[in-house]
Amino acid sequence: GEDVEQSLFLSVREGDSSVINCTYTDSSSTYLYWYKQEPGAGLQLLTYIFSNMDMKQDQRLTVLLNKKDKHLSLRIADTQTGDSAIYFCAELGNSGYAHNFGKGTSLLVTP
Amino acid sequence: EPEVTQTPSHQVTQMGQEVILRCVPISNHLYFYWYRQILGQKVEFLVSFYNNEISEKSEIFDDQFSVERPDGSNFTLKIRSTKLEDSAMYFCASRGARGGTGELFFGEGSRLTVL
């Protein structure tokens, strides 16, 4: 099957920028997503980007999409300790029903 | 704020036993999903359900698995005869209308441990 790949761990200092990268395989995906999972909680949509966009900015979050390389990134500016969580990249599958998720990137923000 | 709720939060069972995981999706949502995450692995799609029938299922969702929406409120996942490899966190999710951004709303998960 198709795999969404992400790096597993990232550690940054508070106040620095974090960049989480993802590669996806389904070039026909219409939407790509970043979900956040805090300890003991379910996944929650953080942001998304439509496939005809290259970039989307939402406050401290910037999503970059390179369709040619099937590469998606999430940049968090001025990272805070409360941003420590697992971040999942996902693509909307062909059927329009299911999301294909990566393994998640565990972000640790240190003071 | 509407949310997806799941019970139990944790279930321990013996291999071969039947397990039912329960979910209450957001009330006006139309699409319902089960995903699972084995420790350290990716979040895997199991099944989607719409209009009282399965709309899509993965290879994982074999004859041991079934889903039901018995009363218009609950959405259940049944595993008939659990195996050790069924140990995972099971997430229920729901979604409103087809189209739009496709955002999924997830529950907090049910951790299944098969001994």
Side-chain angles (χ1 to χ4, degrees):
Chain A
E2 296 152 346
D3 278 338
V4 174
E5 300 286 347
Q6 308 179 229
S7 52
L8 294 183
F9 299 103
L10 178 65
S11 179
V12 299
R13 288 186 178 273
E14 191 174 18
D16 288 350
S17 292
S18 307
V19 179
I20 302 172
N21 294 300
C22 167
T23 55
Y24 62 98
T25 58
D26 188 350
S27 58
S28 65
S29 292
T30 51
Y31 284 95
L32 295 135
Y33 310 89
W34 286 102
Y35 282 80
K36 178 182 180 182
Q37 184 185 29
E38 295 182 354
L43 284 70
Q44 187 170 23
L45 183 68
L46 194 61
T47 188
Y48 67 91
I49 188 166
F50 189 52
S51 59
N52 68 353
M53 298 168 67
D54 298 322
M55 184 182 86
K56 179 180 180 182
Q57 188 147 2
D58 183 2
Q59 299 181 336
R60 291 190 298 121
L61 306 177
T62 304
V63 179
L64 295 177
L65 175 61
N66 180 332
K67 284 194 72 175
K68 176 175 167 290
D69 295 336
K70 296 179 192 166
H71 184 263
L72 183 73
S73 68
L74 174 69
R75 179 176 180 270
I76 306 173
D78 186 25
T79 316
Q80 303 297 305
T81 53
D83 294 325
S84 292
I86 301 175
Y87 292 80
F88 291 90
C89 171
E91 59 184 358
L92 185 63
N94 275 334
S95 67
Y97 290 111
H99 285 34
N100 298 320
F101 285 89
K103 288 186 180 181
T105 299
S106 184
L107 174 66
L108 176 65
V109 183
T110 56
Chain B
E1 184 174 322
E3 59 181 14
V4 176
T5 57
Q6 291 186 240
T7 54
S9 55
H10 189 193
Q11 179 153 359
V12 181
T13 191
Q14 294 291 324
M15 191 167 57
Q17 294 296 304
E18 176 182 283
V19 160
I20 296 176
L21 304 179
R22 291 183 167 81
C23 170
V24 179
I26 294 173
S27 61
N28 62 347
H29 279 187
L30 302 175
Y31 296 84
F32 314 110
Y33 303 80
W34 283 101
Y35 284 81
R36 79 172 185 190
Q37 186 180 26
I38 295 170
L39 190 64
Q41 303 297 314
K42 68 176 186 176
V43 175
E44 299 174 295
F45 169 71
L46 294 179
V47 65
S48 61
F49 192 86
Y50 169 71
N51 200 26
N52 286 321
E53 61 184 19
I54 291 173
S55 48
E56 187 180 0
K57 61 182 181 179
S58 71
E59 292 173 355
I60 302 168
F61 195 88
D62 62 20
D63 292 344
Q64 291 299 310
F65 291 88
S66 62
V67 288
E68 198 177 31
R69 188 159 160 79
D71 56 12
S73 171
N74 292 282
F75 179 52
T76 61
L77 175 70
K78 182 192 291 186
I79 309 173
R80 289 190 183 80
S81 178
T82 49
K83 302 188 282 286
L84 295 176
E85 54 265 37
D86 293 327
S87 294
M89 181 73 89
Y90 288 80
F91 291 104
C92 174
S94 69
R95 170 182 157 184
R98 187 170 172 80
T101 65
E103 178 182 359
L104 297 180
F105 292 81
F106 282 85
E108 293 185 353
S110 293
R111 181 170 297 284
L112 176 64
T113 302
V114 182
L115 303 177

